[in-house]
Amino acid sequence: MAIMVGPRFRFGARARFLTALGLFALICTGVEPPVVRANLAQPAGALGSATVSTESLGGEDQYAVAVAISGRLFPNGGAPVVYLAAGENYADALAAGPIAAREGGAILYTSASTLTAAVGQELIRLAPARVEILGVTSVIDDNVLDQVTAILAPTTVVERLAGSDACGTAAALSARSFEPGAASTVFVASAQSPSDAIAAGPAAARLGSPLLLVTAASLPATTAAELLRLEPDRVFVVGSPIAVSDEVLNAIKLIVPQTERVYGADAYATAAAVAARFLPLAATDVAAEVVAGATGYADGLPAVPLAAARQAPILFAQPDDLLPTPTRDAMIAGRPTRIVIAGSVSEVVRAQLVGFSDGRLTVPAPTPAYPTYDSAYHDYGEMVTLIKATEIAYPTLVHVFSIGKSFEGRDIWAAKISSNVSVDSGKPEVLFDALHHADEHLGVEQALYMLATLTANYSTDVYVHRLVNERVVWIVFALNPDGWAYDLSGGSYHFWRKNRQETGGYYGTDINRNYGYRWGCCGGSSSNPSAYNFRGPSVWSTPEARALRDFVASRVVNGVQLIKAHVTLHTNGELILYPYCYTKSALPTDMNFDDYSTFVKLAQTMAHMNGYKAEQSSHMYVTDGDEIDWLYHQYRIFSFTFELYPKELGSLTADDYPPYSVVATQTARNRGALLYLIDMAACPYQVIGKAAQYCSGAPVVTPSSGLMP
Ligand SMILES: [Zn+2]
């Protein structure tokens, strides 16, 4: 099968393709706004699979991607024809995909007014007999035509092929290539839905069909005239009723009665529907590839001739860390053994392409999803996919495992992150955990952010590189998956905090009041099972707290607790809290002064980095049976609670359920502080100048020069 075109710019959220499609309005009537891009160069993939190979045809922008694809199609030059499309306004070129495939040619991009050196060099290398410049002079001006003419051999035919708009250009391309009656099938897509037109390209090529363009609301006269001239037996309209209205479909039916629509619920699903209908993988097609394109979609168009040559579909990725569901399902159904990625995708997305194809990743069991307006948050299943894909993408850095089961039997997933991750090295260790409280969703996103930071930045950021080499970081992503599922059940939030254990007819224990130091001692929890902070009928009564307890206990090696520092991620308040929680006394008899000083120094330094406020956990109110009290008292782990964004607002909804739009900023905000704690974990006492006293013989003592600016 085919090719992947990856995203090169990111929105803050998933499922934002409609926004991207909005960029392409007005195609058959006027000027198209430029495609927005940021350059997020990805490190080359080291991804391996026994059965699935990936090939990246990437580049800094769509111009470079097109050149890379052209190089792949014509490694020795010698293209018979090159179609030259405007890189920022390629609607006029949408129909050129199947034509270029039919003629064995390539598609390159140019800017509107001048030929760049890289594209010029590729044209010279290809030495085509013919160059077709697609679109009127306002799309690509004559200067480009003159430049192309000047750099190629005098025998080269350089000409402009254009209708009055993109639909007209598509009709002209068809008229040039197909005699009346020569095409029994015609594909139609909207010029305003480039992803549909691109996905239709390899299918049209396979059936020897031209691709014509309409708009969402009209069948242009030029398109209708071309249909009348071709007299095809049937027409496939690729796109949803939103992309191509039923009115337009019916207008086509008046010309060609056997007209049918091929589409899915969104751009990704439409591409998958085209693949399933026209370009399915045969079980014996062992050399199959999958070509996908991404938001921006410009990377997909030059991939059409390549996909067509392999009888492969084009599917799409998206600017996010998760593969779109239709693309994922196409991988599972097709099990391609070769995947060509046109453009760039993250290593984690690449790992999903491979993992779903070779069976290492499977669709998670259904759990409740976020409400539509917050769907960009990662639900439990998406979290599982993401962390397992990260393990596939970075097998030497990440090991994913479960520390145990929740009350309802869900796995409590965790990851170990360190260089040579399979070795138990004795390096100083740090533990992060999230979602003791089920409605504190931002904690999960912060945990996932740290996983991404420590892996994706390992090869590019010297500080991260050193920390991953010299420490072991453990992340428990969601300690309370049952409460989480309940909080999201039924499509709306339930402000649910506890787990889902039943006591005396009431559901839920506050896991963070169930730990085994001074449990229920001090009025910092409730004995009432209906209370939001019910401490449980007995200490350690929750399987979730026990799982955390047993995991931490397992990190005692040769009598030494290797975990030196810990952060539990909660919301909200923008606070960094340190023990003790059970008493308002700053220095009770169960804490020594050096530990107290170290806690304060670490908390204040981290607060300086992220703008939070550092204080003793009991400052606002006393809690007992709290995780950080137990971790400190039991193991002398420097254990902190981060109360994440926002500050206390007094509005429950705003406090508990911030919109996804804040996630990128609010998780990145804690990068420096959390990396600093990982750094200091070599010997936390170094921050009070007592490393020699406390940490002689420590496995690794890091100079404290690693402070982030
Ligand atoms: Zn909490």
Side-chain angles (χ1 to χ4, degrees), residues 432 442 446 449-450 569-570 574-576 606 609-612 642-645 664-677:
F432 299 128
L442 190 56
Q446 184 74 61
Y449 171 86
M450 287 308 292
L569 299 163
H570 289 250
E574 301 190 1
L575 300 169
I576 297 176
M606 290 191 287
M609 291 173 162
N610 66 2
Y612 286 13
F642 271 37
E643 295 285 356
L644 304 176
Y645 172 93
T665 302
Q666 293 302 327
T667 54
R669 177 181 180 181
N670 295 316
R671 183 184 196 273
L674 294 174
L675 292 180
Y676 167 78
L677 189 66

PDB file of all heavy atoms in Angstrom, residues 432 442 446 449-450 569-570 574-576 606 609-612 642-645 664-677:
ATOM      1  N   PHE A 432       7.360  10.126  39.907  1.00  0.00           N
ATOM      2  CA  PHE A 432       6.232  11.033  39.718  1.00  0.00           C
ATOM      3  C   PHE A 432       4.954  10.185  39.686  1.00  0.00           C
ATOM      4  O   PHE A 432       4.947   9.102  39.090  1.00  0.00           O
ATOM      5  CB  PHE A 432       6.330  11.798  38.390  1.00  0.00           C
ATOM      6  CG  PHE A 432       7.564  12.658  38.276  1.00  0.00           C
ATOM      7  CD1 PHE A 432       8.402  12.548  37.167  1.00  0.00           C
ATOM      8  CD2 PHE A 432       7.878  13.588  39.249  1.00  0.00           C
ATOM      9  CE1 PHE A 432       9.538  13.340  37.046  1.00  0.00           C
ATOM     10  CE2 PHE A 432       9.019  14.396  39.139  1.00  0.00           C
ATOM     11  CZ  PHE A 432       9.849  14.267  38.035  1.00  0.00           C
ATOM     12  N   LEU A 442      -5.479  17.384  34.801  1.00  0.00           N
ATOM     13  CA  LEU A 442      -4.259  18.029  34.325  1.00  0.00           C
ATOM     14  C   LEU A 442      -3.015  17.265  34.801  1.00  0.00           C
ATOM     15  O   LEU A 442      -1.971  17.304  34.144  1.00  0.00           O
ATOM     16  CB  LEU A 442      -4.221  19.491  34.806  1.00  0.00           C
ATOM     17  CG  LEU A 442      -3.153  20.404  34.228  1.00  0.00           C
ATOM     18  CD1 LEU A 442      -3.209  20.454  32.704  1.00  0.00           C
ATOM     19  CD2 LEU A 442      -3.305  21.818  34.797  1.00  0.00           C
ATOM     20  N   GLN A 446       0.324  16.347  32.733  1.00  0.00           N
ATOM     21  CA  GLN A 446       1.672  16.700  33.192  1.00  0.00           C
ATOM     22  C   GLN A 446       2.576  15.468  33.192  1.00  0.00           C
ATOM     23  O   GLN A 446       3.740  15.536  32.796  1.00  0.00           O
ATOM     24  CB  GLN A 446       1.604  17.300  34.598  1.00  0.00           C
ATOM     25  CG  GLN A 446       2.950  17.781  35.119  1.00  0.00           C
ATOM     26  CD  GLN A 446       3.391  19.068  34.445  1.00  0.00           C
ATOM     27  OE1 GLN A 446       2.727  20.096  34.541  1.00  0.00           O
ATOM     28  NE2 GLN A 446       4.510  19.019  33.739  1.00  0.00           N
ATOM     29  N   TYR A 449       3.421  14.736  29.689  1.00  0.00           N
ATOM     30  CA  TYR A 449       4.381  15.746  29.231  1.00  0.00           C
ATOM     31  C   TYR A 449       5.800  15.366  29.657  1.00  0.00           C
ATOM     32  O   TYR A 449       6.755  15.496  28.876  1.00  0.00           O
ATOM     33  CB  TYR A 449       4.009  17.125  29.794  1.00  0.00           C
ATOM     34  CG  TYR A 449       5.060  18.171  29.537  1.00  0.00           C
ATOM     35  CD1 TYR A 449       5.078  18.900  28.344  1.00  0.00           C
ATOM     36  CD2 TYR A 449       6.081  18.407  30.464  1.00  0.00           C
ATOM     37  CE1 TYR A 449       6.071  19.833  28.100  1.00  0.00           C
ATOM     38  CE2 TYR A 449       7.072  19.336  30.222  1.00  0.00           C
ATOM     39  CZ  TYR A 449       7.066  20.047  29.038  1.00  0.00           C
ATOM     40  OH  TYR A 449       8.052  20.960  28.780  1.00  0.00           O
ATOM     41  N   MET A 450       5.948  14.894  30.881  1.00  0.00           N
ATOM     42  CA  MET A 450       7.290  14.526  31.341  1.00  0.00           C
ATOM     43  C   MET A 450       7.819  13.316  30.569  1.00  0.00           C
ATOM     44  O   MET A 450       8.997  13.260  30.230  1.00  0.00           O
ATOM     45  CB  MET A 450       7.280  14.250  32.844  1.00  0.00           C
ATOM     46  CG  MET A 450       7.151  15.507  33.690  1.00  0.00           C
ATOM     47  SD  MET A 450       8.365  16.797  33.276  1.00  0.00           S
ATOM     48  CE  MET A 450       9.900  16.026  33.834  1.00  0.00           C
ATOM     49  N   LEU A 569       1.228  14.642  41.486  1.00  0.00           N
ATOM     50  CA  LEU A 569       0.624  15.726  40.701  1.00  0.00           C
ATOM     51  C   LEU A 569      -0.867  15.809  40.994  1.00  0.00           C
ATOM     52  O   LEU A 569      -1.610  14.856  40.762  1.00  0.00           O
ATOM     53  CB  LEU A 569       0.877  15.480  39.214  1.00  0.00           C
ATOM     54  CG  LEU A 569       2.364  15.452  38.830  1.00  0.00           C
ATOM     55  CD1 LEU A 569       2.558  14.804  37.466  1.00  0.00           C
ATOM     56  CD2 LEU A 569       2.943  16.872  38.842  1.00  0.00           C
ATOM     57  N   HIS A 570      -1.263  16.935  41.522  1.00  0.00           N
ATOM     58  CA  HIS A 570      -2.664  17.205  41.839  1.00  0.00           C
ATOM     59  C   HIS A 570      -3.063  18.536  41.216  1.00  0.00           C
ATOM     60  O   HIS A 570      -2.231  19.282  40.723  1.00  0.00           O
ATOM     61  CB  HIS A 570      -2.859  17.299  43.362  1.00  0.00           C
ATOM     62  CG  HIS A 570      -2.730  15.992  44.085  1.00  0.00           C
ATOM     63  ND1 HIS A 570      -3.789  15.355  44.665  1.00  0.00           N
ATOM     64  CD2 HIS A 570      -1.644  15.205  44.313  1.00  0.00           C
ATOM     65  CE1 HIS A 570      -3.378  14.230  45.238  1.00  0.00           C
ATOM     66  NE2 HIS A 570      -2.080  14.108  45.027  1.00  0.00           N
ATOM     67  N   GLU A 574      -1.591  26.045  42.185  1.00  0.00           N
ATOM     68  CA  GLU A 574      -0.247  26.523  41.859  1.00  0.00           C
ATOM     69  C   GLU A 574       0.609  26.574  43.126  1.00  0.00           C
ATOM     70  O   GLU A 574       1.146  27.619  43.505  1.00  0.00           O
ATOM     71  CB  GLU A 574      -0.308  27.871  41.120  1.00  0.00           C
ATOM     72  CG  GLU A 574      -1.121  27.753  39.835  1.00  0.00           C
ATOM     73  CD  GLU A 574      -1.024  28.966  38.921  1.00  0.00           C
ATOM     74  OE1 GLU A 574      -0.304  29.924  39.268  1.00  0.00           O
ATOM     75  OE2 GLU A 574      -1.658  28.940  37.854  1.00  0.00           O
ATOM     76  N   LEU A 575       0.707  25.429  43.767  1.00  0.00           N
ATOM     77  CA  LEU A 575       1.434  25.308  45.028  1.00  0.00           C
ATOM     78  C   LEU A 575       2.433  24.160  44.941  1.00  0.00           C
ATOM     79  O   LEU A 575       2.199  23.168  44.250  1.00  0.00           O
ATOM     80  CB  LEU A 575       0.467  25.006  46.179  1.00  0.00           C
ATOM     81  CG  LEU A 575      -0.639  26.035  46.450  1.00  0.00           C
ATOM     82  CD1 LEU A 575      -1.653  25.467  47.432  1.00  0.00           C
ATOM     83  CD2 LEU A 575      -0.044  27.342  46.967  1.00  0.00           C
ATOM     84  N   ILE A 576       3.541  24.315  45.649  1.00  0.00           N
ATOM     85  CA  ILE A 576       4.468  23.206  45.878  1.00  0.00           C
ATOM     86  C   ILE A 576       4.452  22.943  47.384  1.00  0.00           C
ATOM     87  O   ILE A 576       4.854  23.796  48.176  1.00  0.00           O
ATOM     88  CB  ILE A 576       5.884  23.550  45.379  1.00  0.00           C
ATOM     89  CG1 ILE A 576       5.861  23.770  43.863  1.00  0.00           C
ATOM     90  CG2 ILE A 576       6.863  22.428  45.758  1.00  0.00           C
ATOM     91  CD1 ILE A 576       7.205  24.201  43.287  1.00  0.00           C
ATOM     92  N   MET A 606      12.213  25.297  43.211  1.00  0.00           N
ATOM     93  CA  MET A 606      11.262  24.884  42.164  1.00  0.00           C
ATOM     94  C   MET A 606      10.181  25.950  41.968  1.00  0.00           C
ATOM     95  O   MET A 606       9.792  26.253  40.835  1.00  0.00           O
ATOM     96  CB  MET A 606      10.634  23.538  42.525  1.00  0.00           C
ATOM     97  CG  MET A 606      11.613  22.379  42.430  1.00  0.00           C
ATOM     98  SD  MET A 606      10.811  20.750  42.557  1.00  0.00           S
ATOM     99  CE  MET A 606      10.387  20.686  44.291  1.00  0.00           C
ATOM    100  N   MET A 609      11.142  28.606  39.837  1.00  0.00           N
ATOM    101  CA  MET A 609      11.182  28.238  38.420  1.00  0.00           C
ATOM    102  C   MET A 609       9.803  28.238  37.769  1.00  0.00           C
ATOM    103  O   MET A 609       9.679  28.567  36.591  1.00  0.00           O
ATOM    104  CB  MET A 609      11.797  26.843  38.269  1.00  0.00           C
ATOM    105  CG  MET A 609      13.278  26.808  38.605  1.00  0.00           C
ATOM    106  SD  MET A 609      13.870  25.096  38.608  1.00  0.00           S
ATOM    107  CE  MET A 609      15.626  25.368  38.472  1.00  0.00           C
ATOM    108  N   ASN A 610       8.794  27.828  38.510  1.00  0.00           N
ATOM    109  CA  ASN A 610       7.477  27.702  37.857  1.00  0.00           C
ATOM    110  C   ASN A 610       6.452  28.731  38.323  1.00  0.00           C
ATOM    111  O   ASN A 610       5.310  28.730  37.853  1.00  0.00           O
ATOM    112  CB  ASN A 610       6.920  26.282  38.009  1.00  0.00           C
ATOM    113  CG  ASN A 610       6.593  25.914  39.445  1.00  0.00           C
ATOM    114  OD1 ASN A 610       6.746  26.725  40.357  1.00  0.00           O
ATOM    115  ND2 ASN A 610       6.146  24.687  39.651  1.00  0.00           N
ATOM    116  N   GLY A 611       6.881  29.600  39.231  1.00  0.00           N
ATOM    117  CA  GLY A 611       5.959  30.648  39.659  1.00  0.00           C
ATOM    118  C   GLY A 611       4.880  30.178  40.622  1.00  0.00           C
ATOM    119  O   GLY A 611       3.902  30.889  40.855  1.00  0.00           O
ATOM    120  N   TYR A 612       5.058  28.971  41.158  1.00  0.00           N
ATOM    121  CA  TYR A 612       4.123  28.502  42.176  1.00  0.00           C
ATOM    122  C   TYR A 612       4.542  29.077  43.528  1.00  0.00           C
ATOM    123  O   TYR A 612       5.552  29.752  43.656  1.00  0.00           O
ATOM    124  CB  TYR A 612       4.137  26.961  42.257  1.00  0.00           C
ATOM    125  CG  TYR A 612       3.447  26.219  41.137  1.00  0.00           C
ATOM    126  CD1 TYR A 612       3.068  26.858  39.958  1.00  0.00           C
ATOM    127  CD2 TYR A 612       3.179  24.862  41.258  1.00  0.00           C
ATOM    128  CE1 TYR A 612       2.440  26.146  38.934  1.00  0.00           C
ATOM    129  CE2 TYR A 612       2.555  24.146  40.242  1.00  0.00           C
ATOM    130  CZ  TYR A 612       2.190  24.788  39.086  1.00  0.00           C
ATOM    131  OH  TYR A 612       1.583  24.083  38.094  1.00  0.00           O
ATOM    132  N   PHE A 642       2.600  18.722  43.987  1.00  0.00           N
ATOM    133  CA  PHE A 642       2.385  19.876  43.118  1.00  0.00           C
ATOM    134  C   PHE A 642       0.880  20.045  42.938  1.00  0.00           C
ATOM    135  O   PHE A 642       0.210  19.141  42.426  1.00  0.00           O
ATOM    136  CB  PHE A 642       3.024  19.651  41.741  1.00  0.00           C
ATOM    137  CG  PHE A 642       4.463  20.085  41.633  1.00  0.00           C
ATOM    138  CD1 PHE A 642       5.344  19.918  42.687  1.00  0.00           C
ATOM    139  CD2 PHE A 642       4.930  20.656  40.445  1.00  0.00           C
ATOM    140  CE1 PHE A 642       6.680  20.318  42.568  1.00  0.00           C
ATOM    141  CE2 PHE A 642       6.266  21.057  40.321  1.00  0.00           C
ATOM    142  CZ  PHE A 642       7.139  20.887  41.382  1.00  0.00           C
ATOM    143  N   GLU A 643       0.370  21.164  43.371  1.00  0.00           N
ATOM    144  CA  GLU A 643      -1.007  21.537  43.037  1.00  0.00           C
ATOM    145  C   GLU A 643      -0.915  22.401  41.789  1.00  0.00           C
ATOM    146  O   GLU A 643      -0.442  23.537  41.837  1.00  0.00           O
ATOM    147  CB  GLU A 643      -1.674  22.296  44.187  1.00  0.00           C
ATOM    148  CG  GLU A 643      -1.872  21.469  45.450  1.00  0.00           C
ATOM    149  CD  GLU A 643      -3.023  20.470  45.351  1.00  0.00           C
ATOM    150  OE1 GLU A 643      -3.723  20.462  44.316  1.00  0.00           O
ATOM    151  OE2 GLU A 643      -3.210  19.696  46.312  1.00  0.00           O
ATOM    152  N   LEU A 644      -1.343  21.844  40.654  1.00  0.00           N
ATOM    153  CA  LEU A 644      -1.120  22.481  39.359  1.00  0.00           C
ATOM    154  C   LEU A 644      -2.097  23.647  39.133  1.00  0.00           C
ATOM    155  O   LEU A 644      -2.936  23.960  39.982  1.00  0.00           O
ATOM    156  CB  LEU A 644      -1.269  21.446  38.239  1.00  0.00           C
ATOM    157  CG  LEU A 644      -0.368  20.206  38.333  1.00  0.00           C
ATOM    158  CD1 LEU A 644      -0.694  19.227  37.203  1.00  0.00           C
ATOM    159  CD2 LEU A 644       1.108  20.579  38.283  1.00  0.00           C
ATOM    160  N   TYR A 645      -1.979  24.218  37.959  1.00  0.00           N
ATOM    161  CA  TYR A 645      -2.856  25.297  37.504  1.00  0.00           C
ATOM    162  C   TYR A 645      -4.320  24.936  37.703  1.00  0.00           C
ATOM    163  O   TYR A 645      -4.679  23.771  37.504  1.00  0.00           O
ATOM    164  CB  TYR A 645      -2.567  25.533  36.024  1.00  0.00           C
ATOM    165  CG  TYR A 645      -3.498  26.476  35.312  1.00  0.00           C
ATOM    166  CD1 TYR A 645      -3.194  27.831  35.219  1.00  0.00           C
ATOM    167  CD2 TYR A 645      -4.672  26.009  34.742  1.00  0.00           C
ATOM    168  CE1 TYR A 645      -4.048  28.693  34.555  1.00  0.00           C
ATOM    169  CE2 TYR A 645      -5.527  26.865  34.086  1.00  0.00           C
ATOM    170  CZ  TYR A 645      -5.212  28.202  33.999  1.00  0.00           C
ATOM    171  OH  TYR A 645      -6.057  29.054  33.353  1.00  0.00           O
ATOM    172  N   ALA A 664      -0.788  22.863  27.157  1.00  0.00           N
ATOM    173  CA  ALA A 664       0.596  22.953  26.660  1.00  0.00           C
ATOM    174  C   ALA A 664       1.401  23.937  27.501  1.00  0.00           C
ATOM    175  O   ALA A 664       2.526  23.651  27.927  1.00  0.00           O
ATOM    176  CB  ALA A 664       0.604  23.356  25.190  1.00  0.00           C
ATOM    177  N   THR A 665       0.826  25.084  27.752  1.00  0.00           N
ATOM    178  CA  THR A 665       1.533  26.101  28.527  1.00  0.00           C
ATOM    179  C   THR A 665       1.731  25.667  29.973  1.00  0.00           C
ATOM    180  O   THR A 665       2.819  25.820  30.539  1.00  0.00           O
ATOM    181  CB  THR A 665       0.726  27.418  28.503  1.00  0.00           C
ATOM    182  OG1 THR A 665       0.549  27.807  27.144  1.00  0.00           O
ATOM    183  CG2 THR A 665       1.455  28.513  29.260  1.00  0.00           C
ATOM    184  N   GLN A 666       0.692  25.108  30.571  1.00  0.00           N
ATOM    185  CA  GLN A 666       0.757  24.816  31.999  1.00  0.00           C
ATOM    186  C   GLN A 666       1.595  23.572  32.317  1.00  0.00           C
ATOM    187  O   GLN A 666       2.082  23.440  33.434  1.00  0.00           O
ATOM    188  CB  GLN A 666      -0.654  24.686  32.577  1.00  0.00           C
ATOM    189  CG  GLN A 666      -1.419  26.003  32.554  1.00  0.00           C
ATOM    190  CD  GLN A 666      -0.702  27.110  33.317  1.00  0.00           C
ATOM    191  OE1 GLN A 666      -0.021  26.859  34.311  1.00  0.00           O
ATOM    192  NE2 GLN A 666      -0.841  28.343  32.844  1.00  0.00           N
ATOM    193  N   THR A 667       1.738  22.676  31.367  1.00  0.00           N
ATOM    194  CA  THR A 667       2.632  21.546  31.615  1.00  0.00           C
ATOM    195  C   THR A 667       4.086  21.940  31.337  1.00  0.00           C
ATOM    196  O   THR A 667       4.982  21.590  32.111  1.00  0.00           O
ATOM    197  CB  THR A 667       2.239  20.328  30.766  1.00  0.00           C
ATOM    198  OG1 THR A 667       2.179  20.706  29.389  1.00  0.00           O
ATOM    199  CG2 THR A 667       0.887  19.784  31.196  1.00  0.00           C
ATOM    200  N   ALA A 668       4.296  22.698  30.267  1.00  0.00           N
ATOM    201  CA  ALA A 668       5.662  23.153  29.966  1.00  0.00           C
ATOM    202  C   ALA A 668       6.192  24.046  31.084  1.00  0.00           C
ATOM    203  O   ALA A 668       7.396  24.080  31.358  1.00  0.00           O
ATOM    204  CB  ALA A 668       5.680  23.900  28.634  1.00  0.00           C
ATOM    205  N   ARG A 669       5.307  24.728  31.738  1.00  0.00           N
ATOM    206  CA  ARG A 669       5.674  25.616  32.846  1.00  0.00           C
ATOM    207  C   ARG A 669       6.442  24.869  33.947  1.00  0.00           C
ATOM    208  O   ARG A 669       7.277  25.443  34.630  1.00  0.00           O
ATOM    209  CB  ARG A 669       4.380  26.214  33.404  1.00  0.00           C
ATOM    210  CG  ARG A 669       4.540  27.110  34.597  1.00  0.00           C
ATOM    211  CD  ARG A 669       3.165  27.589  35.034  1.00  0.00           C
ATOM    212  NE  ARG A 669       3.258  28.455  36.186  1.00  0.00           N
ATOM    213  CZ  ARG A 669       2.193  29.002  36.783  1.00  0.00           C
ATOM    214  NH1 ARG A 669       0.980  28.767  36.292  1.00  0.00           N
ATOM    215  NH2 ARG A 669       2.349  29.787  37.823  1.00  0.00           N
ATOM    216  N   ASN A 670       6.162  23.601  34.126  1.00  0.00           N
ATOM    217  CA  ASN A 670       6.791  22.837  35.204  1.00  0.00           C
ATOM    218  C   ASN A 670       8.025  22.062  34.759  1.00  0.00           C
ATOM    219  O   ASN A 670       8.611  21.320  35.550  1.00  0.00           O
ATOM    220  CB  ASN A 670       5.769  21.868  35.811  1.00  0.00           C
ATOM    221  CG  ASN A 670       4.651  22.620  36.494  1.00  0.00           C
ATOM    222  OD1 ASN A 670       4.897  23.589  37.208  1.00  0.00           O
ATOM    223  ND2 ASN A 670       3.418  22.209  36.257  1.00  0.00           N
ATOM    224  N   ARG A 671       8.393  22.227  33.499  1.00  0.00           N
ATOM    225  CA  ARG A 671       9.525  21.479  32.968  1.00  0.00           C
ATOM    226  C   ARG A 671      10.781  21.720  33.796  1.00  0.00           C
ATOM    227  O   ARG A 671      11.433  20.784  34.256  1.00  0.00           O
ATOM    228  CB  ARG A 671       9.755  21.898  31.516  1.00  0.00           C
ATOM    229  CG  ARG A 671      10.852  21.152  30.793  1.00  0.00           C
ATOM    230  CD  ARG A 671      11.022  21.752  29.385  1.00  0.00           C
ATOM    231  NE  ARG A 671      11.772  20.895  28.497  1.00  0.00           N
ATOM    232  CZ  ARG A 671      13.097  20.886  28.395  1.00  0.00           C
ATOM    233  NH1 ARG A 671      13.810  21.707  29.154  1.00  0.00           N
ATOM    234  NH2 ARG A 671      13.697  20.076  27.556  1.00  0.00           N
ATOM    235  N   GLY A 672      11.124  22.987  33.963  1.00  0.00           N
ATOM    236  CA  GLY A 672      12.365  23.315  34.660  1.00  0.00           C
ATOM    237  C   GLY A 672      12.383  22.792  36.086  1.00  0.00           C
ATOM    238  O   GLY A 672      13.374  22.215  36.552  1.00  0.00           O
ATOM    239  N   ALA A 673      11.274  22.976  36.797  1.00  0.00           N
ATOM    240  CA  ALA A 673      11.221  22.568  38.200  1.00  0.00           C
ATOM    241  C   ALA A 673      11.340  21.052  38.337  1.00  0.00           C
ATOM    242  O   ALA A 673      12.065  20.547  39.208  1.00  0.00           O
ATOM    243  CB  ALA A 673       9.926  23.058  38.833  1.00  0.00           C
ATOM    244  N   LEU A 674      10.660  20.337  37.478  1.00  0.00           N
ATOM    245  CA  LEU A 674      10.687  18.874  37.600  1.00  0.00           C
ATOM    246  C   LEU A 674      12.033  18.307  37.154  1.00  0.00           C
ATOM    247  O   LEU A 674      12.540  17.353  37.753  1.00  0.00           O
ATOM    248  CB  LEU A 674       9.524  18.263  36.810  1.00  0.00           C
ATOM    249  CG  LEU A 674       8.130  18.621  37.371  1.00  0.00           C
ATOM    250  CD1 LEU A 674       7.025  18.094  36.455  1.00  0.00           C
ATOM    251  CD2 LEU A 674       7.934  18.089  38.787  1.00  0.00           C
ATOM    252  N   LEU A 675      12.621  18.888  36.107  1.00  0.00           N
ATOM    253  CA  LEU A 675      13.960  18.440  35.710  1.00  0.00           C
ATOM    254  C   LEU A 675      14.973  18.756  36.808  1.00  0.00           C
ATOM    255  O   LEU A 675      15.882  17.960  37.088  1.00  0.00           O
ATOM    256  CB  LEU A 675      14.377  19.093  34.384  1.00  0.00           C
ATOM    257  CG  LEU A 675      13.606  18.662  33.138  1.00  0.00           C
ATOM    258  CD1 LEU A 675      14.132  19.405  31.902  1.00  0.00           C
ATOM    259  CD2 LEU A 675      13.683  17.151  32.915  1.00  0.00           C
ATOM    260  N   TYR A 676      14.802  19.909  37.438  1.00  0.00           N
ATOM    261  CA  TYR A 676      15.698  20.282  38.538  1.00  0.00           C
ATOM    262  C   TYR A 676      15.624  19.251  39.669  1.00  0.00           C
ATOM    263  O   TYR A 676      16.648  18.820  40.215  1.00  0.00           O
ATOM    264  CB  TYR A 676      15.317  21.671  39.044  1.00  0.00           C
ATOM    265  CG  TYR A 676      15.944  22.041  40.362  1.00  0.00           C
ATOM    266  CD1 TYR A 676      17.278  22.446  40.425  1.00  0.00           C
ATOM    267  CD2 TYR A 676      15.209  21.988  41.546  1.00  0.00           C
ATOM    268  CE1 TYR A 676      17.858  22.789  41.646  1.00  0.00           C
ATOM    269  CE2 TYR A 676      15.779  22.327  42.757  1.00  0.00           C
ATOM    270  CZ  TYR A 676      17.104  22.727  42.806  1.00  0.00           C
ATOM    271  OH  TYR A 676      17.674  23.056  44.004  1.00  0.00           O
ATOM    272  N   LEU A 677      14.423  18.824  39.999  1.00  0.00           N
ATOM    273  CA  LEU A 677      14.291  17.836  41.078  1.00  0.00           C
ATOM    274  C   LEU A 677      14.943  16.507  40.683  1.00  0.00           C
ATOM    275  O   LEU A 677      15.594  15.851  41.505  1.00  0.00           O
ATOM    276  CB  LEU A 677      12.823  17.625  41.444  1.00  0.00           C
ATOM    277  CG  LEU A 677      12.608  16.773  42.707  1.00  0.00           C
ATOM    278  CD1 LEU A 677      13.135  17.499  43.948  1.00  0.00           C
ATOM    279  CD2 LEU A 677      11.137  16.409  42.883  1.00  0.00           C
TER     280      LEU A 677
END
